[in-house]
Amino acid sequence: MYVYLGSSSGLVTTPATTIVSPFPGNSNFGGMVTMGDLNGDGYTDFSGTSGGYVVSTCSIAVFLGSSSGIPATPASTIRDSADGAWNGFGKTASGDVNGDGYADMIVGVNGYNTDTGRVYVYRGTATGLSSTPATTLDGPYGTHSNWGIRVASMWDVLAPGHGDVQVRSPFALYGQGWLRGLRTQRRL
């Protein structure tokens, strides 16, 4: 992956940072990229996912931004080897779902459990992203519904001070698809 910086005259055409996949083998690193201030320091952090048909576990690498830019080495990585994860881990979004001032990461795993799907919420902290999920949500629609194929953070719909989450399940309800907004009235 390449990081290009903006300037007053537009985009600088030489990459400021070149990031080589931190995962061995053909990892398809950079398939999904998510940005947000995970550690609350005022600088944009980002994550890059790996995964595909060649590897059996998929991973997310987290890079913490600073005044000197984005480093080429991740601050942390998250690996998942759950059933079917290789076929869908790493659909990510960020937003502050618990209102603590740190961006949290929402991860969709649509290939979990015969494509039933699963969504994880990892909390942002002062030191970066937590290594274990704070919340795990299993798909409510059964096999082959691909719940979590897309996830997105939403504005605070009910205004209690917490960001909300949107989860897509394209094959739920006999192939008609389903888009579910999860309101975070409770702490995720």
Side-chain angles (χ1 to χ4, degrees), residues 117-121 135-140 147 165 167 182 186 188:
R118 177 175 269 183
V119 171
Y120 297 107
V121 178
T135 304
T136 301
L137 304 168
D138 286 329
W147 195 69
V165 176
V167 180
L182 303 173
R186 64 180 178 86
L188 289 180

Side-chain angles (χ1 to χ4, degrees), residues 70-90:
I70 298 289
T73 305
S76 62
T77 59
I78 299 170
R79 290 185 176 263
D80 188 65
S81 59
D83 168 43
W86 63 273
N87 189 24
F89 183 67

Side-chain angles (χ1 to χ4, degrees), residues 3 9 29 33 36-37 50 57 62 73 90 98-99 110 124 138 152 157 180:
V3 178
S9 60
F29 182 66
V33 175
D37 188 3
S50 75
T57 61
V62 178
T73 305
N98 60 349
N110 63 288
D138 286 329
V157 176
R180 176 175 272 196

Side-chain angles (χ1 to χ4, degrees), residues 11-125:
L11 191 64
V12 177
T13 59
T14 304
T17 306
T18 300
I19 300 171
V20 178
S21 175
F23 309 110
N26 182 2
S27 64
N28 296 321
F29 182 66
M32 297 292 284
V33 175
T34 301
M35 294 178 284
D37 188 3
L38 298 170
N39 59 355
D41 65 357
Y43 296 100
T44 300
D45 308 315
F46 84 96
S47 67
T49 65
S50 75
Y53 299 106
V54 180
V55 293
S56 60
T57 61
C58 292
S59 307
I60 296 175
V62 178
F63 299 84
L64 300 178
S66 70
S67 61
S68 57
I70 298 289
T73 305
S76 62
T77 59
I78 299 170
R79 290 185 176 263
D80 188 65
S81 59
D83 168 43
W86 63 273
N87 189 24
F89 183 67
K91 280 58 173 181
T92 59
S94 68
D96 186 5
V97 299
N98 60 349
D100 64 357
Y102 301 107
D104 304 307
M105 187 177 298
I106 301 102
V107 179
V109 187
N110 63 288
Y112 174 77
N113 192 18
T114 318
D115 298 336
T116 296
R118 177 175 269 183
V119 171
Y120 297 107
V121 178
Y122 290 88
R123 287 198 178 137
T125 70

Side-chain angles (χ1 to χ4, degrees), residues 22 24 44 65-66 88 103 154 158 169:
T44 300
S66 70
M154 299 169 52
L158 295 179
S169 183

